[in-house]
Amino acid sequence: MDTAPFEQWESEVRGYCRAYPTVFATASNARQVDEQGRSYLDFFAGAGVLNFGHNNPRMKRAMIEFLEHDGIAHSLDTYTTTKRDFVERFRDVVLHPRGMDHRMQFTGPTGTNAVEAALKLARLVTGRTDVVAFSHGFHGMTLGSLAATANDAFRKWAGVPLRDVVRLPNETSPGGGIAGLDAYRAAITDPSSGLLPPAAFLVEPVQAEGGVNVASVEWLHAIQSLAKDVGALFIIDDIQAGCGRTGSYFSFDGMGLDPDVITLAKGLGGYGTPIAMNLNKPEVDAHWSPGAHTGTFRGQGLSFVAGTVALDYFTDDALMDEVRVKGGRMRQALDALAAAHAGGAGQGWQVRGRGMMQGLDLGDGALAKDVQRRAFEAGLLVGPCGTNGQVVKLIPPLTIPDDDLDQGLDVLRTVVDEAVAA
Amino acid sequence: MDTAPFEQWESEVRGYCRAYPTVFATASNARQVDEQGRSYLDFFAGAGVLNFGHNNPRMKRAMIEFLEHDGIAHSLDTYTTTKRDFVERFRDVVLHPRGMDHRMQFTGPTGTNAVEAALKLARLVTGRTDVVAFSHGFHGMTLGSLAATANDAFRKWAGVPLRDVVRLPNETSPGGGIAGLDAYRAAITDPSSGLLPPAAFLVEPVQAEGGVNVASVEWLHAIQSLAKDVGALFIIDDIQAGCGRTGSYFSFDGMGLDPDVITLAKGLGGYGTPIAMNLNKPEVDAHWSPGAHTGTFRGQGLSFVAGTVALDYFTDDALMDEVRVKGGRMRQALDALAAAHAGGAGQGWQVRGRGMMQGLDLGDGALAKDVQRRAFEAGLLVGPCGTNGQVVKLIPPLTIPDDDLDQGLDVLRTVVDEAVAA
Amino acid sequence: MDTAPFEQWESEVRGYCRAYPTVFATASNARQVDEQGRSYLDFFAGAGVLNFGHNNPRMKRAMIEFLEHDGIAHSLDTYTTTKRDFVERFRDVVLHPRGMDHRMQFTGPTGTNAVEAALKLARLVTGRTDVVAFSHGFHGMTLGSLAATANDAFRKWAGVPLRDVVRLPNETSPGGGIAGLDAYRAAITDPSSGLLPPAAFLVEPVQAEGGVNVASVEWLHAIQSLAKDVGALFIIDDIQAGCGRTGSYFSFDGMGLDPDVITLAKGLGGYGTPIAMNLNKPEVDAHWSPGAHTGTFRGQGLSFVAGTVALDYFTDDALMDEVRVKGGRMRQALDALAAAHAGGAGQGWQVRGRGMMQGLDLGDGALAKDVQRRAFEAGLLVGPCGTNGQVVKLIPPLTIPDDDLDQGLDVLRTVVDEAVAA
Amino acid sequence: MDTAPFEQWESEVRGYCRAYPTVFATASNARQVDEQGRSYLDFFAGAGVLNFGHNNPRMKRAMIEFLEHDGIAHSLDTYTTTKRDFVERFRDVVLHPRGMDHRMQFTGPTGTNAVEAALKLARLVTGRTDVVAFSHGFHGMTLGSLAATANDAFRKWAGVPLRDVVRLPNETSPGGGIAGLDAYRAAITDPSSGLLPPAAFLVEPVQAEGGVNVASVEWLHAIQSLAKDVGALFIIDDIQAGCGRTGSYFSFDGMGLDPDVITLAKGLGGYGTPIAMNLNKPEVDAHWSPGAHTGTFRGQGLSFVAGTVALDYFTDDALMDEVRVKGGRMRQALDALAAAHAGGAGQGWQVRGRGMMQGLDLGDGALAKDVQRRAFEAGLLVGPCGTNGQVVKLIPPLTIPDDDLDQGLDVLRTVVDEAVAA
C-alpha cells in the first residue's frame, strides 16, 4: 500500500483518506476492495452518491456502449440524443406520475452549483436578497451555498463574511418547530420588526450532513405555507436525501408538498458520474434568461446515460419496497444498539432516519470518531456527521445485498460496544 | 430532429442550444454529427474542454478498460490506485520537469469550484478579504468566483451584491498596463488612499471568455512582483488557457513566473470528464486544514483515467509543436481576413491570441452573432466572447486534422464575408 | 403665519412640521407659543430632549453668564474648565453614588453617533462583527446605527444592505422573552447552528420610538447573563429613556444591572443643547486608541454648562419623586381612557410605560394620526410611535406644572373620544 | 492646571487634549486662554469650525438676546421664527445671488450626518449602491460616511467591512487626474469591465483632513461631466472648505460647477454651535419622503441665530477680500519657509492651499508632530493632517487680526526651524 505520493503531492486539505487510510482499487455494489485485496463493506456510498451500488452492471454496460459508439461525452447545454433520452425518461418516470410540470435546469454538475442556481433564481423572482436557511443545514461549499450551510466547521474557512441568509432553528432545535415559524411569520409581517420577507426558504426534508434530522410533514407544510403567504420561494434541497434514498424518489413524496424549486445531484448520475439538476416550476423558471447561469460541465454524456438507467429503478416499486424493508432492519439494529447501552454510556443516544438513511446520535464526537476508526479496521466504512460529528450515519447503497447489510450492522454493533468499553 | 422535449421540459436558462439548433448524436476528434447525419466542424471544443478531440480513442480504450475492471468510479478524496496513477503522472510530466513542488488540490470538478477554493486559501493565508481581479476576467458563476468575474452579463443575475473584489483594468484597458499597476501599488502603500493590500491577484494569462486578451510577460511579472511585495498571493487562472491550449502545458510556461496557486479544470480530464485541480505552493497549502474545502465529486475515476492518458501528450514535443504550427495557420487566416476588410467594415478589427486560441474582434456583437449563425448553417461551430460578444473565438481541438482546420478557416472566411456584405 | 419660505426652500424630507403646521416663536417649560400667540401644551418635549422644560431658567442664566464671560464654546476634545465641571459633576452626582467607574466618552453630539461609537467599541473588544439588536428598537439613522434600528420606515431609505446585526424579537414579540433568549443561547453555543456569538447585545430598557415597550427586569438580566456568558458586551441604549425620564437617572436604576456601555444623549444637555456621551467600563474603554472615534462637535461649551445645571436635579429626590407621581397620574388617565373605550373601539388598546413616558397603543396608525391632528388643533402636541405609528406617546417635560399636565390629559381624553366617534 | 478628572474619568479615546495638554478657560477671536492665564494663538479654529473667531461678539449678543427672549432652542424640524430667519437669510445671501434653487435639508448637526443623508439620497435617486470617493478624502466617522473616508487610521476601527464605495485616486495621486477619470469612464461604459456606473461622485474641492489638497477646476469639471453623463449625482463635500474659508462662500465659487448636493456643517453655525445642512437640487430633493432621514438635533435655535449673523459677513466683499489677502500672506510665509529649507531637510516639502487654508507638507509625520508640539509650547495651536499626519495645516479664524496672524506665522517659522535642527 503506497500512500506516499498522496502524502507528498496532494494538498493538506484532503480529508476522508485520513479516516480510511488505504488505497482502494476496485469496487462492486456495496463493497470496495483495496490494493492489498482487503474487502470493505461500504455504508457511506460516496457520501450518498452511490445509491445503486458501486459499478452498477447495467449502467456499466450502457456506458461502455455509449463510449464505443462515440456518443457526445461533453455537450455544455447543446442538445444531444443522450440528453434527450434522459430528459424524456425523467419526465416519464418522475414528473408525469406526480403530475409535476417542473422544468429541468442542468446547473454545473455539483450540488453546490445547483443550490447557487436556485438561490439566484429565488432572488431574481422576488427581487429580495435574504434567504432563510435552517440550523444544521448543509447546502454546499461555494460562497453562495456556504452562506446557507450552517456548520461553522465549513463556514469558518470562507475568509469573507457570509451574508444574505437569515438563519432559523431547524425543527428540533430550541426555538424551532411550528412555534419558531410562527414567530418568524409575525416578525416579517410587522414592519417594525427589523426583518422583511425573504426571497426563499431553503430546507432539507432530511438533513443528512446535519445529523440525520428528519423533518415532520407538518413542519414542512408550515414552511411552504409561510413561503407562499409572503411571496417567497419554497426550495427543497433533496441532494442527499433524494433519488430513492428514503424509500421514494423524492424524500418528500406523499407529503402533498409543492416546492417551487427542487435541487438534485449526488444519486442522479447513478454511477457516481457528476450531474446536478434543479426542477423549477414553470412560472418561476420563466424568469431566467438564456445563459443567466452557466457552467462548463452541465452536459455530461456518461452521466445522462447512467442516470437514465438509474431511472429504471423507479418504474416499479421493487427497489423502493426493498429500501423500506432494509431501512427497517437498519433502524431496528440501531434501536437495539441504543437500547443495549441505554442504561450506561448510551443514555441520551438517539436513533433518527428515514428509509436507508439512518443515524445513531452518540452525543459525543470523539466516540463517533472512534467508532468510525474501529469500523474501518473491522472492514466497514461509515462516516460521522452532525454537530461535532457525533452522529454515525448509515447510508449504504440501496442495492446492498441482505447479507452485506446484516454483516455491516453486526460489525457496527461490535465496534460500538468496543468503543464504549474502551 | 426532435427538440420539443427540450423546449417543453428544459429550463429557459439553456443557452448554447439556441445558437446551435440541432440535436447532436456522435462526435469524433474535431467533428460532431447530428441525428440527421450532418457533420459539423467544431471550433468551440466544448468551451475549451476538448483539447484532445471528441472521444479521443486512447482515452476511450482506457476508460472502457477501467469500467470493465470495476475501477473506483467515485471516491471523494479517499485514495485510489487510479488517482495515484494520475498524481504520479502529473508530478512526472508537469511538475518535475519544471522544478515545481506545488501540491495538488482536487476541488469540486468545475472551474468555479477551483477558483472558490483558491480564493478561500488566499484569504486564509493573508487574513485579508479583498482580491484583485481584472476587467474582462472570467472566473466562474458561483458567488465567490462570480464576484471576480467581470462581465455584467453574468454578474447581474447574482441577486446580491458581489463583494470582496477590487477591480483593476486589464493590461489593455484604459488605465491598465504597468502604469495601472504602479498606481495601484502607490495606493495600497499609502495609508490614506482608502485601499489596503489585497489577499491575492487573480489573473488569466490569456483571457478566453473575456475576448482572447493576451497578457504580456512584463505585465504578468509586474503583477507577480506587486503581489510578492505586498504579501498577497499570485494566482493564475489557467482553466481555459492551460493544458496545452497555447502551445505549452501552462499558458505561462517559459515566462519565469512563480504563481502561488494555479487553477486548472476544463482540459484536465481529457475526455470532457469533469475534474478540477489547484496547484498550491507547499508553504501556502500548509494553511489548509483537512476538510476545509470539500465537495462530492472530487474523486472521479473516469476523469483520472482519461486525464492520465491526456498527460501522455506532454511527454514529448509533438503535440505542442503541432499547436504552434496550427495556431500560426489560424492566426494567418484571421490576419488575412482582417486585412481583407480593413478598408471597409473591418476598420478597427483586431486579431488576438496565442497558440490555438485565436480571436477576431469584430467590434460589433450583432455582427459576431450573425457570423456564428451563418457558420453553424455552413457546418462550423464557433462561439463569440468578449464585451458584448463581439469577438469570434477559435478554439478547435489541438488534435484537429489539418484538413479540418483549413476547411473550417475557409468556412469562417466565407461567412464573415457574407455577414459583412449582409 | 408665514410658512412659505419653508415650503419653497426647505427639503421635502421635513416631517414634524407637517403634523404641527404653525411657526413657533417662544417657549417656556411645557408650553410653546406660535407667532400668532397661540399657546400649545408640549407633551412631546422635542422627542424626549427637554426633560427640564423649554428654556429652563437656571440653565438659561448659566448659559448667558458663560457667553458673557467668553467661555470656550467649541473645544473638540481639548480640555476646558467647563467640560471639567461637567465631568466632575457627572462623576459626583451619577457615577459615585452608584459605585460606577465607567469612563465618559464624548462622541459626536447626537444619539446616533453615540451608538456608532458603542458598536465600534464592541466589535473592537470582541473581534466579532454581528451585534444583536431587538425588534422595535430605535438606535439612529446613520448606517451603523440604522442597521440596529428595526423599523422599516427608517431602514428602507438606506439604499444599501444593512448588515452585521442579528435581529431578535423584543420581550413581548412572538418568539421573544426569556424563551427566545434561551433559544438564541442554544444556537450560539452549537457550532452547527449557523450562528456564532455576537459582539454585543444592544437594548433599550424602555423602547420609546418603538412603541413605549417596557422591558422586565428578568428579561434584561437574562440578556446581561447571556452577554457575559458568551463574551459579548452588554450595551444599554438609554438615549431617550435615561436622564430622569422614567423616575430615576438611568431607566434601569435599581435593577442590579451592570452594562458594559451605556449610551446617553437627548436629555443630557439639559436645554436642548446637543451632547452625547457613552459610559464605558474601564476594561472595555481601555481598548480604544486616541482618536479612534472622533467628531467635530464633541466639545460643546453651552451643552456642558446647561448639562451641569441639569445634574442639580439629581442631587436630591425631589424631581424624581415628582416624576413618579406625575407618571402615575398620566398612567391613570390613560388607563381610564382605555377602560372607557374597552367595550367599543378600544378593544385591544394597551397602556404601557414607566415614569413620565407613557403610551396608549391604539392598534391603529390612522387613528393615532387623527388623534395627533385633533390634539394639535386643541393646543396639545403629542407624537405617535411604534409599529405603523399606532401608539400615542406622552413625554412631557418632567418639570411640567400639575395644571398643565392635567389640562393636557383632559385635552387628550377629549380628542381621543372625538377621534373614535369620527 | 488640573487635568486629573479627565485622565481618570474620560475615555482613552480622547485625542486633541494630548497634543494640547492644558485646560482652556476662555477664548476670543483667534486666541484661547488657559486657566493659568496663558494665551494661545489658534491656527486650528476648532478643526475649521470657528471661521468667525471664538466668541464672535455680534453672534454672542444675538444669542444672549435669543436666550433672554425665550426663543425656541430645540425644535426638531418644526417651523420656528428663528429657523425661518436663517432660511430666508441663506436664500438671500447665498442662493439667490448665485441663481441657485437648491433646497435646504437640515440633517443631524454634524458633518457626518450631512454626508450620510447625501449618500442615502444619491442611492435613492439612482437605485444604485456604489458611491465614488477619492483617496485622501475625509467625510466622517459613522459607518456610511466612514466608508467614504479614505484614511485607514480612521477606517480600521470600524470593526466591520466598509462597503459600497468605489475608491478612485484623487487628482494628484498616481493614476488620478483627468486620465484616471477617463479610465474610470471607460470602465463603467464597458459592460465587461466589472464596474457599473455609480450612484454618486463625492468630492472635496479642497481636501482638508486629507492634507490640504486643492483640486483643479478642470478636474472638478471632469468629475461633474462624468457624473452627469452616467446618471450619477455630483456631490460636493464643502464641510471644512466652505463657509468662506477659501475666500468665497463655497470653495468652488466661480468655477461654473453645478453640484446636485452640497454638504455644509462646521462653519455654518458661526459660533461653534452645531448645525449641518445639505443643499439639494429640487429635482433630486423631490425623491425624499417626509421623515426619510431624521435626527434629534436638527433644529438648534442658537445655531440658527449665530448662523444668521454669520451670513452678514457675506453680504459684501469685505471679509472675503480680507481672506484672500491674509491667505496670500500665509502662503508667502510657508513658501519662504519651504524655500529656506529646500537645500536641506526641506527637500520635497510642498506648500498647498487656497484662501485661509494653507498646508505645509513636510513629508514626515514625526517631524510634523514635533512641530505641533513645539508650536504648542510656543503658544500656537496647529494641527497636522494628511498621510501619516505629515502636513501642518493652518486654518486660523478668517477674522484673525493681522498682528496675530503675523505673530503666529513667526512662531511657526521658528518652531519649524527648531524641529528641523533637532
Side-chain angles (χ1 to χ4, degrees), chain D residues 62-257:
Chain D
M63 290 162 74
I64 289 174
E65 191 181 357
F66 169 82
L67 288 168
E68 283 172 342
H69 287 81
D70 278 339
I72 307 283
H74 168 80
S75 61
L76 300 163
D77 60 0
T78 58
Y79 299 144
T80 70
T81 50
T82 313
K83 180 176 177 179
R84 190 174 57 204
D85 290 347
F86 178 85
V87 165
E88 292 183 323
R89 193 83 179 134
F90 193 87
R91 175 197 63 194
D92 294 343
V93 173
V94 178
L95 299 183
H96 271 178
R98 288 166 178 79
M100 294 169 66
D101 61 354
H102 288 68
R103 300 299 179 91
M104 305 177 210
Q105 178 182 1
F106 298 94
T107 67
T110 65
T112 196
N113 214 307
V115 171
E116 295 259 352
L119 297 185
K120 282 186 188 176
L121 183 55
R123 287 160 174 155
L124 174 61
V125 169
T126 61
R128 304 170 184 168
T129 54
D130 282 350
V131 167
V132 170
F134 293 90
S135 65
H136 299 262
F138 181 88
H139 302 286
M141 295 289 282
T142 52
L143 277 196
S145 61
L146 186 56
T149 293
N151 197 334
D152 189 52
F154 300 120
R155 293 170 65 84
K156 70 180 167 189
W157 306 100
V160 295
L162 295 169
R163 313 248 190 209
D164 306 314
V165 165
V166 170
R167 184 71 51 185
L168 294 187
N170 73 356
E171 188 175 8
T172 54
S173 290
I178 303 285
L181 294 174
D182 285 347
Y184 181 64
R185 176 192 288 266
I188 58 180
T189 52
D190 173 354
S192 288
S193 71
L195 293 170
L196 295 175
F201 291 77
L202 173 64
V203 65
E204 300 158 280
V206 184
Q207 292 182 329
E209 182 61 36
V212 192
N213 303 310
V214 183
S216 73
V217 184
E218 293 71 29
W219 188 68
L220 292 171
H221 267 282
I223 295 175
Q224 177 174 289
S225 298
L226 179 49
K228 309 276 178 203
D229 289 350
V230 301
L233 262 57
F234 177 49
I235 306 177
I236 286 189
D237 181 333
D238 225 17
I239 290 171
Q240 187 161 158
C243 301
R245 168 59 58 189
T246 64
S248 54
Y249 190 80
F250 296 118
S251 72
F252 56 89
D253 270 333
M255 295 186 178
L257 293 168

Side-chain angles (χ1 to χ4, degrees), chain C residues 285-304:
Chain C
D285 187 76
H287 286 79
W288 277 128
S289 292
H293 184 84
T294 71
T296 294
F297 292 120
R298 283 168 296 158
Q300 289 295 303
L302 287 163
S303 304
F304 290 134

Side-chain angles (χ1 to χ4, degrees), chain A residues 144-167:
Chain A
S145 60
L146 185 55
T149 293
N151 196 334
D152 190 52
F154 299 120
R155 294 170 63 85
K156 69 180 167 190
W157 305 99
V160 295
L162 295 169
R163 314 248 189 209
D164 306 314
V165 166
V166 171
R167 185 70 53 186

Side-chain angles (χ1 to χ4, degrees), chain C residues 28-171:
Chain C
S28 179
N29 203 352
R31 289 191 170 269
Q32 290 190 235
V33 180
D34 72 11
E35 61 180 338
Q36 273 82 26
R38 187 162 185 230
S39 174
Y40 297 83
L41 276 164
D42 186 357
F43 273 32
F44 190 51
V49 164
L50 299 162
N51 286 1
F52 314 100
H54 286 274
N55 298 328
N56 183 288
R58 281 158 60 196
M59 297 177 197
K60 190 195 315 180
R61 272 196 306 278
M63 290 162 75
I64 290 174
E65 190 179 359
F66 169 82
L67 288 168
E68 284 172 341
H69 287 79
D70 278 339
I72 308 283
H74 167 79
S75 61
L76 300 162
D77 61 0
T78 59
Y79 299 145
T80 69
T81 51
T82 313
K83 180 177 176 179
R84 191 174 57 205
D85 290 346
F86 178 84
V87 166
E88 292 183 324
R89 193 82 179 136
F90 193 87
R91 176 197 62 193
D92 294 343
V93 174
V94 177
L95 299 184
H96 272 178
R98 286 166 179 80
M100 292 168 69
D101 61 354
H102 288 66
R103 299 299 177 92
M104 306 177 208
Q105 177 182 2
F106 298 94
T107 67
T110 65
T112 196
N113 214 306
V115 170
E116 295 258 352
L119 297 185
K120 282 186 188 177
L121 184 55
R123 286 159 175 157
L124 175 61
V125 169
T126 60
R128 304 169 185 169
T129 54
D130 281 350
V131 166
V132 170
F134 293 90
S135 65
H136 299 262
F138 182 88
H139 302 286
M141 296 288 281
T142 51
L143 277 196
S145 60
L146 186 56
T149 293
N151 197 334
D152 190 51
F154 300 120
R155 294 170 65 83
K156 69 180 167 190
W157 306 99
V160 295
L162 295 169
R163 313 250 191 208
D164 306 314
V165 166
V166 170
R167 184 70 52 186
L168 295 187
N170 72 357
E171 188 174 8

